[in-house]
Amino acid sequence: AGVAFSGVASPRRAATRFLELEKPPVMNSPVFSLATLGRGGETNMNILTYASPVGIRPHRVWAVSLYRGTRSHENFAERKTGVLQLLREQHADLIYLLGGQSGRDVDKAAGCSELGFPWVSGPEALGEEQLLPGCAAYYRLVLDGEFVNAGDHDVALCRLERIFQDEEDNSGDALYTGLLRARGLISAAGRAVEP
């Protein structure tokens, strides 16, 4: 419960009552997977929902927020680049594998293959990372400056270098957190739920 506040009525609208919240309302956000390369050239993937375009000129800029202590954070911090993959609804069953487990403990490539999504090579212009097939879009991001400390996450402002789409598999709706919550695949707090 919060504290109620009243707004001032205008000639066209009655006074509005405002309730101060203890925490932000649950949002329906797009779901991405960030593909990064480790020191040995091996691909790692995670689940990422804190990603948004934040600028257009002189070049497109995206902000992504990376959880500290993960392989994705370590790889991105070292190589300063990765491929942000906009997932589709067909990728929903990958959420726990990619977002609830660490690449230090499980073979995410083998797990994705077992679930029907064997990693593939993208076009040379997109980079060396292995990618999930059938994503709505693939964004090559390059760190543009230093990380910004956001508590347990670091925010990276990134230059958008290239955008690609799977030419043969480009149908289906983008995946959003609302669908994942409805299917019980993530908690209200947005954490991956073990199946």
Side-chain angles (χ1 to χ4, degrees), residues 105-179:
D105 304 324
V106 298
D107 183 338
K108 292 185 177 186
C112 284
S113 187
E114 288 172 17
L115 292 170
F117 295 93
W119 294 359
V120 297
S121 296
E124 187 176 322
L126 199 50
E128 300 173 44
E129 293 88 348
Q130 293 289 294
L131 305 171
L132 287 168
C135 291
Y138 302 87
Y139 306 88
R140 163 58 66 192
L141 300 179
V142 176
L143 184 64
D144 194 14
E146 300 298 320
F147 284 125
V148 176
N149 181 333
D152 57 359
H153 285 67
D154 280 326
V155 174
L157 289 179
C158 302
R159 202 173 52 253
L160 175 59
E161 294 283 312
R162 310 288 291 260
I163 308 170
F164 285 87
Q165 185 177 54
D166 186 331
E167 188 174 4
E168 294 178 18
D169 187 2
N170 59 13
S171 62
D173 292 332
L175 181 60
Y176 281 81
T177 54
L179 177 73

Side-chain angles (χ1 to χ4, degrees), residues 15-117:
T16 302
R17 291 185 45 85
F18 295 93
L19 180 65
E20 184 175 5
L21 302 175
E22 297 290 325
K23 58 184 179 181
V26 174
M27 296 178 66
N28 190 22
S29 303
V31 180
F32 300 89
S33 177
L34 181 65
T36 57
L37 289 176
R39 288 185 178 170
E42 72 285 353
T43 296
N44 184 67
M45 291 189 197
N46 71 349
I47 294 297
L48 192 147
T49 58
Y50 298 152
S52 180
V54 295
I56 299 173
R57 291 183 185 87
H59 51 263
R60 295 184 184 274
V61 176
W62 276 62
V64 295
S65 189
L66 302 169
Y67 191 69
R68 288 197 189 124
T70 63
R71 287 188 68 200
S72 294
H73 182 285
E74 292 167 9
N75 292 349
F76 197 85
E78 184 166 313
R79 293 205 180 225
K80 301 184 183 347
T81 189
V83 177
L84 189 65
Q85 305 168 99
L86 177 56
L87 302 184
R88 293 187 193 272
E89 290 180 0
Q90 66 187 8
H91 297 108
D93 290 336
L94 301 177
I95 297 304
Y96 183 72
L97 172 64
L98 297 178
Q101 300 183 81
S102 171
R104 293 182 184 94
D105 304 324
V106 298
D107 183 338
K108 292 185 177 186
C112 284
S113 187
E114 288 172 17
L115 292 170
F117 295 93

